[in-house]
Amino acid sequence: MNKLVLPGPVWLASDLHLGPATPATSEAFRAFLDAAADEAAALLLPGDLFDAWIGDDVAAAAPPWLAEVLQALARTAARIPVWLGRGNRDFLMGQALADRVGAKLLPEPALLQTDFGDILLTHGDEFCTDDVPYQQFRAMVRDPRWQAEFLGKTIPERLALAQQARGESQAANQTKSMEIMDVNAQAIETAFRTSGVSVMVHGHTHRPARHVLEVDGKKRERWVLPDWDCDHANPPRGGWLVIDQDGLVFYDLGDED
């Protein structure tokens, strides 16, 4: 597993789910990007930056909301390294988008060499192994042949298919328990053993927390990034993680400092 060497403060944010229906969240994200450019040495966005991403070609004729986000990303990437990760909503983000905004694509998973030590970073959906139908869907849409066929369709066709899939997913989730949609403990333990790290960071589950556990007699930490919603949640929610030589710290959107 190749390491990303990231000296200095590293900022991470996940699960923003940006789209045309989230103007306040997009505004908060753009402000966050400005702060990251001023204070971080690198910014990592490990998945679900967008509520849906149907192909990099949509950026060529981006609607206003998307154009503003891409311009803000490009401004930040001109000042500090920015890494884009692919989640379950935007797994079709590719090199063309990264090149457009001056960013890089995160490996899956990513092993970060930080001032605090080595940290495993993923989106997190791969750990939800109890949700068998989702894992089957995930394997299908990550297949290069499926992606090539999907991207060969017109943008309106892709939009229609994405909306249909989202509706089916929401309906299916209504019948699933919260435990099934959370990470599987054995999958987490396996990831710790395979990577050899003591600290893991992921998003996806929308359950921000710091979990302390023991694997093979060694203390481990699993940090879960929050999702963002400044449009429909009351109070608005969201936040990010900062990693520096002193450790890991959560910052909430409501924090004044």
Side-chain angles (χ1 to χ4, degrees), residues 14-15 17 46-53 85-92 108 123-126 134 137-138 141-142 166 169 173 203-206:
S14 180
D15 296 276
H17 302 288
D48 283 5
L49 172 59
F50 299 107
D51 196 48
W53 190 257
R86 287 160 285 198
N88 56 295
R89 302 282 190 89
D90 50 16
F91 54 86
L92 286 172
E108 300 175 329
H123 180 61
D125 58 327
E126 69 271 37
Y134 170 71
F137 171 81
R138 185 180 189 274
V141 300
R142 297 275 178 145
R166 182 63 185 146
S169 174
N173 287 346
H204 179 66
T205 63
H206 302 184

Side-chain angles (χ1 to χ4, degrees), residues 13-192:
S14 180
D15 296 276
L16 288 104
H17 302 288
L18 301 179
T22 60
T25 308
S26 292
E27 182 179 2
F29 177 62
R30 295 195 302 271
F32 164 76
L33 288 176
D34 289 339
D38 288 338
E39 302 178 33
L43 172 63
L44 284 67
L45 303 169
D48 283 5
L49 172 59
F50 299 107
D51 196 48
W53 190 257
I54 61 169
D56 290 355
D57 53 340
V58 301
W65 76 266
L66 178 56
E68 291 178 348
V69 170
L70 297 181
Q71 290 165 5
L73 280 169
R75 287 195 301 270
T76 303
R79 298 179 59 190
I80 61 173
V82 174
W83 296 82
L84 301 177
R86 287 160 285 198
N88 56 295
R89 302 282 190 89
D90 50 16
F91 54 86
L92 286 172
M93 288 198 305
Q95 192 62 51
L97 174 65
D99 291 343
R100 177 177 286 271
V101 300
K104 298 180 181 180
L105 292 176
L106 273 171
E108 300 175 329
L111 186 60
L112 315 180
Q113 182 177 316
T114 73
D115 290 346
F116 186 67
D118 290 351
I119 295 174
L120 183 69
L121 175 66
T122 80
H123 180 61
D125 58 327
E126 69 271 37
F127 300 136
C128 300
T129 55
D130 293 328
D131 191 347
V132 175
Y134 170 71
Q135 292 300 328
Q136 292 172 338
F137 171 81
R138 185 180 189 274
M140 178 185 72
V141 300
R142 297 275 178 145
D143 188 307
R145 293 169 296 181
W146 184 94
Q147 293 188 1
E149 181 179 350
F150 182 83
L151 293 172
K153 299 180 184 299
T154 66
I155 289 179
E157 288 174 331
R158 281 180 265 157
L159 280 172
L161 288 171
Q163 291 170 352
Q164 177 184 346
R166 182 63 185 146
E168 292 174 352
S169 174
Q170 289 176 329
N173 287 346
Q174 296 299 317
T175 65
K176 296 177 182 177
S177 69
M178 294 300 291
E179 288 75 20
I180 285 178
M181 293 188 290
D182 202 354
V183 300
N184 174 277
Q186 290 183 334
I188 293 296
E189 290 181 5
T190 297
F192 273 121

Side-chain angles (χ1 to χ4, degrees), residues 233-244:
N234 187 20
R237 66 175 180 266
W240 64 97
L241 187 68
V242 174
I243 305 171
D244 61 20

